[in-house]
Amino acid sequence: MPVYKAPLRDMKFLLNEVFDYPEHYASLASGENATPDIVEAILRECGKFCEEVLSPLYLSGDEEGCKLENGEVTTPTGYREAYQQYVSGGWQGLSAPADFGGQGLPASMGLLKQEMMGTANWSFSMYPGLSLGAMNTIFLHGSDDQQQTYLPPLTEGHWGGTMCLTEPQCGTDLGQVKTRAEPQPDGSYRLTGTKIFISSGDHDLTENIVHIVLARLPDAPKGTRGISLFIVPKFLPDSQGCVGERNTVVCGNLEKKMGIKASATCVMNFDGATGFLIGPENEGLNCMFTFMNTARIGTAIQGVGPAELSYQWALAYAKERRSMRALSGKKEPDQVADSLIHHADVRRMLLTQKAIAEGGRAMLYYAARLADHMVEGLTQGDDKKAGKYDDKLGFLTPILKGFLTELGYEAANLGVQVFGGHGYIREHGMEQIVRDTRIATLYEGTTGIQALDLLGRKVLLMTRGGAVREFTLKIANFARKHLTDKRLRPFALELLKLTGQWNLLTVRIMLAARKDRDVVSSAAYDFLMYSGYVTMAYIWVRQAAAAVDKLDHGGDESEAFYQAKLATTEFYFERLLPRAQSHASSMLSSSKNLMQLDAEDLAFTG
Ligand SMILES: Cc1cc2nc3c(=O)[nH]c(=O)nc-3n(C[C@H](O)[C@H](O)[C@H](O)COP(=O)(O)OP(=O)(O)OC[C@H]3O[C@@H](n4cnc5c(N)ncnc54)[C@H](O)[C@@H]3O)c2cc1C
């Protein structure tokens, strides 16, 4: 059975030699205990848990799935025991504030943990992942009383959490939410309505589940301005804060779905359920979106994870499986045929996976530093600092979420291809990775919505191109520094060219959109993908520059490791980055080619 190996060498290279996390952590209040030794020990321990406990449940969890009986959901065999180990390891509170029982480490440590857990077993990682969303919301918007009641058991992992936004008629357009919240004389509310697609809506891993729910007060304005946020626990806490009376929120159905079958996706019926307002009335969406940037980095991990997992398994297979002879002559003359790894086309697939997995991971680690500063600003009540880093992160998150999940899906598909027909057969797990990762481009905002957020809001509306100018200036300054080294010069020159082009494309779309509003929507996807390819190029050169430096002056890794980084940068620039030009050309085409047909003329059937 295939297993997952935590990519600790690559992780350490990024942390210590590319992005200088030791210096970064030393600059953070929450980084006091994140010394290099402790960080390494945590990563090693987390890697072990993922390899030995979560990875073995990956295929069996998919096979068995979750079950709903008498309104209660059970998770697949082994999940409860694994979750208990997760709780006793103190993993849920890794980056949570010490005041509520957490370890108070920087937010980025939580993302590193999430990457390994999500790669080993995405379905499992969703249970604690959703709880983190609930914890963050209560931490930022809950009253003292709510924080004291809910945060300690959530931080310990004894209670779980969910985010209940979606309803049958709306997922993207939450202005259509219908769930009602009626005020009660005792200050609580009664919630009535149906939420669908709720991850971890019910399960048997924790003794209580804390739902964070979007609903409307009786006189609320229509649309997004009339939505409030509520805490609705499965069991109402008693006066001691322990699990008390059962609330009237139940799982009505488990969705039958394409992948992540070990993650319970529930229809949740709220039948006059008792809830408590969190944050100000009618500002539920704002509250919900406070931590959206960090949540979206969390989902971007679902692009990197499958690329990594599928690559690990495809690489092992390509070294074992034999087929014909390499075109340049026999590589293994004693064997009946050469192994797949010697065929250039197989290498194309493997290196694409590798470039996506390692390039994507590096993009996440780059952004995670910004997330640390943003969270520090929020927790210290320094709104200026929080706002500054939220803006920087806000520009990158749609790129990370949209681009990396699209590429992660491509990488997972390539893994199937490397296995040939065997990739289509369930026992190898390759088709499961494809099914599991397909959701990543859909939830937490579809790729289309990420693209609109990037181009429409962050680039055009909010900054009039300023966000692109600021980021490309950073890239250009970096590139200029590396023009003199002949190993880096070709990459640096290309980066300089791209920074100019990215700004020019932005201006051209801005001008076109003044005449035709559909241009924003028609150009958005290509703009997002273009931005992703250029950002990944920058991040690959950051890795190449670190590799060159370590080759010249010595580093923690072997020479082969650093040479592989240079070779993969070259592969990325020559084989994947050219796709950016296709996106550039598409985004500049008129919206007419999309909009000219009447809806009725899109098909002529019958
Ligand atoms: C397995 C799973 C788990 C989930 N977990 C949760 C959860 O825990 N909590 C929760 O609340 N929800 C959850 N969801 C719901 C998920 O977030 C939504 O499905 C998602 O946001 C998309 O909404 P929708 O399905 O209503 O699609 P729609 O909004 O109907 O979108 C359909 C298509 O139209 C496009 N589109 C929509 N509006 C526009 C526009 N204005 N311009 C251009 N294109 C547009 C979209 O990009 C998409 O391609 C989950 C869903 C699944 C399948």
Side-chain angles (χ1 to χ4, degrees):
M1 201 188 103
V3 287
Y4 161 71
K5 291 297 291 174
L8 294 176
R9 288 174 70 181
D10 197 44
M11 294 171 86
K12 279 193 279 178
F13 167 68
L14 294 176
L15 292 175
N16 299 331
E17 300 188 337
V18 182
F19 297 121
D20 200 357
Y21 266 71
E23 175 271 336
H24 167 66
Y25 284 157
S27 75
L28 297 174
S30 60
E32 198 187 342
N33 293 325
T35 58
D37 286 355
I38 291 185
V39 171
E40 181 162 352
I42 291 174
L43 294 185
R44 195 172 299 284
E45 211 40 49
C46 185
K48 200 162 154 243
F49 173 68
C50 294
E51 290 169 2
E52 294 175 4
V53 180
L54 298 188
S55 176
L57 298 175
Y58 182 64
L59 301 190
S60 60
D62 177 70
E63 200 66 44
E64 190 179 336
C66 294
K67 293 188 182 69
L68 172 67
E69 272 164 2
N70 305 323
E72 304 283 333
V73 175
T74 47
T75 52
T77 308
Y79 273 55
R80 273 174 69 83
E81 293 74 13
Y83 188 78
Q84 281 317 311
Q85 287 194 47
Y86 175 80
V87 170
S88 48
W91 291 111
Q92 185 67 352
L94 192 69
S95 300
D99 295 351
F100 300 107
Q103 296 176 45
L105 288 163
S108 54
M109 289 294 299
L111 289 166
L112 305 182
K113 172 195 83 174
Q114 245 172 296
E115 186 212 319
M116 285 191 273
M117 285 181 52
T119 311
N121 190 331
W122 188 265
S123 285
F124 179 93
S125 75
M126 285 187 68
Y127 294 99
L130 266 297
S131 295
L132 281 176
M135 283 160 65
N136 288 336
T137 311
I138 297 173
F139 177 66
L140 277 176
H141 304 291
S143 63
D144 283 352
D145 206 29
Q146 289 171 337
Q147 294 187 346
Q148 293 305 332
T149 305
Y150 295 101
L151 286 180
L154 282 167
T155 303
E156 286 160 3
H158 296 311
W159 292 8
T162 74
M163 304 299 272
C164 299
L165 289 70
T166 305
E167 297 187 2
Q169 72 287 357
C170 66
T172 303
D173 183 5
L174 293 170
Q176 295 183 47
V177 158
K178 284 187 189 156
T179 299
R180 297 189 323 274
E182 302 280 345
Q184 301 300 302
D186 65 357
S188 68
Y189 295 79
R190 277 182 185 272
L191 275 82
T192 306
T194 299
K195 297 283 176 181
I196 62 165
F197 299 169
I198 304 308
S199 303
S200 320
D202 196 58
H203 55 77
D204 55 357
L205 302 181
T206 56
E207 61 184 35
N208 201 2
I209 300 175
V210 181
H211 303 287
I212 304 286
V213 186
L214 286 182
R216 271 180 199 290
L217 292 168
D219 304 322
K222 287 205 167 74
T224 50
R225 295 210 176 108
I227 294 175
S228 305
L229 201 56
F230 298 86
I231 297 178
V232 182
K234 177 176 174 181
F235 292 96
L236 294 163
D238 64 17
S239 55
Q240 308 297 310
C242 301
V243 164
E245 192 189 328
R246 178 74 164 90
N247 203 354
T248 47
V249 47
V250 289
C251 172
N253 198 10
L254 269 181
E255 306 288 0
K256 294 185 180 56
K257 56 193 194 294
M258 178 177 179
I260 54 166
K261 294 191 178 194
S263 161
T265 309
C266 305
V267 174
M268 298 303 296
N269 295 324
F270 295 80
D271 188 9
T274 301
F276 309 97
L277 183 70
I278 174 168
E281 287 184 5
N282 299 328
E283 288 187 28
L285 271 189
N286 285 346
C287 296
M288 188 70 120
F289 286 116
T290 320
F291 253 95
M292 200 40 104
N293 286 330
T294 22
R296 284 181 174 159
I297 303 184
T299 315
I301 292 176
Q302 207 181 355
V304 175
E308 173 68 37
L309 190 64
S310 183
Y311 174 56
Q312 287 190 9
W313 294 356
L315 179 61
Y317 189 78
K319 287 179 181 172
E320 263 173 31
R321 173 91 174 168
R322 298 181 183 286
S323 174
M324 299 165 69
R325 292 293 180 190
L327 292 181
S328 53
K330 287 183 184 176
K331 299 291 182 244
E332 296 162 291
D334 301 342
Q335 301 290 342
V336 60
D338 288 337
S339 46
L340 296 178
I341 194 85
H342 297 297
H343 298 301
D345 187 55
V346 175
R347 290 210 169 211
R348 169 189 63 77
M349 296 188 274
L350 290 168
L351 277 160
T352 301
Q353 292 186 297
K354 179 178 168 67
I356 293 171
E358 293 178 17
R361 177 175 304 115
M363 283 167 78
L364 291 175
Y365 287 23
Y366 174 80
R369 277 181 58 130
L370 301 175
D372 282 339
H373 287 300
M374 198 275 277
V375 171
E376 183 150 291
L378 280 176
T379 47
Q380 293 175 343
D382 184 345
D383 292 346
K384 208 170 146 208
K385 180 173 178 181
K388 176 179 152 190
Y389 283 100
D390 199 34
D391 285 349
K392 287 180 191 290
L393 202 55
F395 171 68
L396 285 177
T397 41
I399 300 177
L400 293 180
K401 201 287 181 181
F403 173 74
L404 288 182
T405 57
E406 292 286 338
L407 260 62
Y409 183 61
E410 177 187 343
N413 254 322
L414 286 172
V416 170
Q417 200 69 16
V418 170
F419 268 66
H422 297 272
Y424 201 69
I425 305 299
R426 286 183 78 164
E427 67 179 281
H428 300 289
M430 301 308 283
E431 58 85 42
Q432 184 187 335
I433 304 175
V434 175
R435 286 188 287 106
D436 283 355
T437 191
R438 184 64 188 86
I439 184 61
T441 67
L442 299 167
Y443 57 17
E444 288 290 346
T446 60
T447 305
I449 295 303
Q450 299 299 334
L452 278 177
D453 181 44
L454 175 70
L455 178 63
R457 275 187 71 229
K458 313 258 169 78
V459 172
L460 298 184
L461 197 67
M462 287 164 63
T463 66
R464 296 183 169 273
V468 174
R469 282 196 297 280
E470 186 185 320
F471 189 54
T472 50
L473 186 65
K474 195 176 173 61
I475 299 178
N477 286 339
F478 166 81
R480 276 189 208 103
K481 276 195 220 147
H482 295 286
L483 284 170
T484 48
D485 187 303
K486 70 174 188 323
R487 291 160 293 183
L488 298 172
R489 186 177 163 76
F491 307 135
L493 281 173
E494 183 64 20
L495 278 184
L496 283 173
K497 227 167 69 190
L498 288 166
T499 54
Q501 185 186 37
W502 197 353
N503 279 298
L504 194 65
L505 289 168
T506 307
V507 172
R508 287 185 66 180
I509 288 170
M510 199 156 23
L511 293 175
R514 279 191 197 154
K515 293 190 201 133
D516 172 9
R517 298 303 296 241
D518 276 333
V519 161
V520 179
S521 187
S522 74
Y525 167 77
D526 288 297
F527 186 84
L528 174 115
M529 295 305 284
Y530 174 92
S531 306
Y533 282 112
V534 179
T535 306
M536 195 180 256
Y538 164 54
I539 294 296
W540 263 112
V541 187
R542 294 277 306 254
Q543 296 188 73
V548 161
D549 179 57
K550 299 302 168 196
L551 281 169
D552 292 350
H553 303 105
D556 294 341
E557 268 300 342
S558 63
E559 186 181 337
F561 179 96
Y562 297 126
Q563 292 293 1
K565 284 289 175 191
L566 284 178
T568 313
T569 309
E570 186 178 324
F571 169 84
Y572 180 80
F573 268 69
E574 294 180 3
R575 293 232 171 214
L576 299 186
L577 186 57
R579 296 177 186 182
Q581 296 314 314
S582 156
H583 289 294
S585 154
S586 288
M587 85 175 85
L588 290 179
S589 78
S590 143
S591 72
K592 178 167 161 269
N593 54 36
L594 297 175
M595 306 308 283
Q596 63 187 340
L597 285 176
D598 283 343
E600 288 68 32
D601 296 340
L602 280 165
F604 299 94
T605 47

